[in-house]
Structures are given as structure tokens and as C-alpha cells.
Amino acid sequence: MGLDYKFVLWNKHKKTYDKFIALGMVLYLILFFVLTLVTNAELTVETIIIRAFGSLAIIVLHIILIIGPLTRLNPKYLPILYNRRHLGVSMFLAALVHGLFSIINFHTLGDKNPIVSIFTSNMDYGSLHNFPFQVLGFFALLILFVMASTSHDFFLKNLSPKIWKQLHMLVYLAYALVILHVFLGAFQQETSLFTIGILILGFLMISGLHVIAAFKEGKIDSAKGELDSNGWLKVCYTDEIEESRAKIFTVKNERVAIFKNEDKLSAIHNVCKHQGGPLGEGKIVDGCITCPWHGYQYLPHNGQSPPPFTEKVNTYELKVLEGIVYINPDAMAEGTEVAPIVC
Amino acid sequence: MIASQRKAHKFIWLGLSILIAALLVLVIKDLDFSSSTLETQKGLPFEAMRSENSIVLVKLNEPLKTPSALVYEINANKELGAVLGELNGKGEYKFTLSKNAVGITVIDKIKNQKIYTTTF
């Protein structure tokens, strides 16, 4: 949450997160270099750099892709989601080193433009075992570049969260391109059961977690509630919601968080305007609903960020009858004041 | 995530899982896990290995004394085929063979001398 844009809005948690990223990446590179020099000393430095940074980028991409479904399946993984953007940018930088060294090594010594050479040095596009796999890597790198360069609140705000999220979902296409880049390229030239096994395991883990999380979310979405005579949805008993916490319900296919604050209930749309974080998994801090992802805050009674901030979410009307909480399924406009209901 | 994004995620991952899995099966079927080592010629610092997927690996264990070393393909008629590349020094080289290649030969073009020949 900030009033102006800074290149990186550092805080203690981000610094800790980034130290882990940097340390992990450096350790991996050192280990890769040492092991390669011990086991295959004849490789040139360029080849080792290409392999080290390429494999590093793939590993980090796998970590990035499992964070989302992991947190949807179990909120205890939320801390690793906190600064996923920096992980993404770090992964792009590793992929960039791999791509640049590959282009310099394989495409700059001829008489063609290196980029043209990527597309034309091998024209066997109809073959599986001799497919010009570098083209796939090139397109994946382009997607990662667009994503890394827009990984900032400035673009999130100006593109709108919906467009920004759609743009960043291109990472799934990049992943598919990367997988095929490796299988049609490196593995065709140097077939190793171990590395193929690792990558297949990675693919099964990522796709499995995403599909399981999607079905879990789908089950929650399709849960049918009981309506009263006025069309209000019965959701829970008042004592099921902890003080300063929320319970999340699905209302007309959208998630709504009902918070209890000083024994009064308020309902707001569950999706944070910043990066789509689940507000209902956060808690009330200093009277404000606080997003568990990045700490964006909203007032429970009107869904507005406290001044001078301008984010707003939908609010919902509630009523309590004999200890049972009912919600009007029709959302109020973003930022509409709704008086909290006494339990 | 909002409802439409959750739905999009579900269909994207169902689609990707099926598509990538199918492509990987096709690709893995095409991989060769049993590369065959060809005979090395005694006294020469070469080792050549060919896999069924048309890649030939030439390992040069020490620098050559000849001023040039071009790698040619030997075609089905046992004649000199296309130039695959050049050996510049100690190291591993990979070349892609055409479908009808039956071997490779390394020639010093300056002295017009065959340095190494192997057939598959």
C-alpha cells in the first residue's frame, strides 16, 4: 500500500524473502559449476553457464507455479506467496542469462541476424526429434520479459487488476513452451533418465496441484445455501465466526468474507483490489480488515481503504435472526456504507 | 481470485495437463535411451557416438595436429555428403545427420587428407 510508486517498496519481510531467493540461486549455481567441473571437465564455460542458468530458471519456475495452488489448498503456505513477484523477476533474469548466452554461442557467428538465425538455422519444423526447439525457448523468454517488466504496482494499477492478472496468467503458456523446449531440445541431444524423470515429476506435481485446487474451489463454488422467504442466504451461526476474523462463503458464485469486529458483523467481497488476495483469510488490525498477502487494508463497514488510499470493494447487507446470520446475495456497489449488525 | 478467474484457471490447467502429457508421450517415444558407441580407431583421439535420433556426438580427446578438420557425412552410396561442421580443438561436438547418412568422415581440406572415418 503506497501513495506514490517506488521502484521497490522494501520492507523487512521482503528483504528476508529476497535474501532467501538470492542465497538459494547462488548456492545452486555454485553447486552446478562444481559438480559439472568434477564430472564433465571438458565442457566449455559458455556451455556450463547456459546449462546452469537454464536449469536454475526451470527450477524457480516450478516453485513459482506450485505456490498458488499450495496456498489455495492450505493457507499455512501463504508466507511463500508474499513476495512471489521478486521470485518471478529473479527467474526471468536466470532465463535471460541462459537465452543471451545461447544466442551468443549459437547464433552470432554467422552472417544472419541472430534473432532471424533462431528461426531459420533449423527449418525442420515438422520433426519431433529435430524440432527447432530454440524457437520455443525464445517465445517463452518473450512472455517472461513482458511479465517481469510489468511486475510492479504501477502496471497493476494502470492496467487494472483484471487485465494484469490475465497478462500474468501467460506464465502457464510460458511453462508449456519451456517444457517442450527442454524435451525437444536438450533431452533429444543428451537423453538422461534422471533429468527426464525429475521434469516429469515436476510437471505432474504442478498440474496435479492446480487441478486438485481447481476442483476444491469448484466444490466450494457449487455449494447451495438455504434462502429465506426474502431471498436472503442463510450462512452460519454468529458464534462460528471468531472475533477479528472472518468466515468465507460463496454468494452468487463470488466469495464473500463475513468479519466479526467488536461483536458486530460486516460482509465484504473476499478479493483484495491489490493482487486478488483472500481478504477473509486476513484479520482485523486496528479496526481495518487486513489482506494476508500484502497488508492492504479496508474498513469493515464500507469496504473502503482508509484515507488517503482509494481502493474499494463491494459490501453486503447482513441480518441476524435467532443467532443465524443471513446475507443479501445482491452486492452493494464498491465502497457502499452498510451498518454493521450486532450479533 | 474472482469467479471467472477461478473458472479460467480450472480449464487452463485441465487443458494444459492433457496437452502437455500427450506431447510428452510423443516426444519420449522418440527419445533414444540406448545410444550406441561406435568403434574408436586406435591411435586417433576420436570417439564417436550416434543415437537413433540422428545426432552424432564426436569427442575429440586431444587437439589435432592437422591445420583443418572438417566433418562430412557419408551418404547411403558411401560417398562424401554434406559438411556437418568443423573441429577446432579438444572437446565434444554434436552434429545432426540427414536420414540417409551411414557414417562420418573427418577431412583435412588443406592437405586433402582423411583423418578419421566411421560408419554406423
Side-chain angles (χ1 to χ4, degrees), chain A residues 150-166:
Chain A
T150 55
S151 280
H152 195 278
D153 279 354
F154 173 82
F155 289 99
L156 181 67
K157 184 88 177 172
N158 287 288
L159 290 173
S160 85
K162 193 178 171 188
I163 302 284
W164 188 87
K165 182 72 184 170
Q166 285 170 350

Side-chain angles (χ1 to χ4, degrees), chain A residues 42 72 129 165 169 172 183 187-188 190-191 193 196 200 206-207 210 217 221 253-255 271 276, chain B residues 1 3 5-6 9-10 12-13 16-17 20-21 23-24 27-28 30-33 53 59 94 96:
Chain A
E42 286 159 359
R72 287 198 287 282
H129 65 255
K165 182 72 184 170
M169 278 163 70
Y172 305 142
F183 271 87
F187 289 168
Q188 292 289 348
E190 202 163 302
T191 307
L193 267 177
I196 289 175
I200 288 179
I206 289 175
S207 56
H210 273 278
E217 302 266 341
D221 282 345
N253 277 333
E254 288 298 345
R255 302 284 167 80
V271 181
Chain B
M1 279 192 286
Q5 285 167 349
R6 285 198 295 275
H9 264 83
K10 185 176 180 177
I12 285 172
W13 277 103
L16 274 183
S17 304
I20 295 179
L23 281 169
L24 290 190
V27 173
I28 290 169
D30 205 56
L31 288 176
D32 174 35
F33 290 92
N53 49 23
K59 196 170 169 188
K94 280 174 189 162
T96 306

Side-chain angles (χ1 to χ4, degrees), chain B residues 73-81 98-103 114 119:
Chain B
E73 187 175 277
I74 302 173
N75 63 29
N77 302 325
K78 306 270 179 184
E79 291 165 348
L80 219 54
S98 61
K99 281 175 189 165
N100 63 352
V102 295
K114 274 189 186 174
T119 51

Side-chain angles (χ1 to χ4, degrees), chain A residues 51 122 124 127-133 183-191, chain B residues 30-32 34-38 47-59 71 73 84 92-101 103-104 118 120:
Chain A
R51 291 184 181 185
N122 174 5
D124 208 354
S127 161
L128 263 184
H129 65 255
N130 192 31
F131 189 87
F133 66 97
F183 271 87
L184 292 169
F187 289 168
Q188 292 289 348
Q189 293 176 21
E190 202 163 302
T191 307
Chain B
D30 205 56
L31 288 176
D32 174 35
S34 57
S35 300
S36 56
T37 306
L38 298 176
E47 280 178 58
M49 197 165 82
R50 187 207 185 184
S51 61
E52 281 171 23
N53 49 23
S54 302
I55 305 286
V56 66
L57 173 76
V58 177
K59 196 170 169 188
V71 183
E73 187 175 277
L84 297 175
E92 285 183 3
Y93 299 82
K94 280 174 189 162
F95 304 107
T96 306
L97 298 165
S98 61
K99 281 175 189 165
N100 63 352
I104 58 163
T118 188
F120 311 128

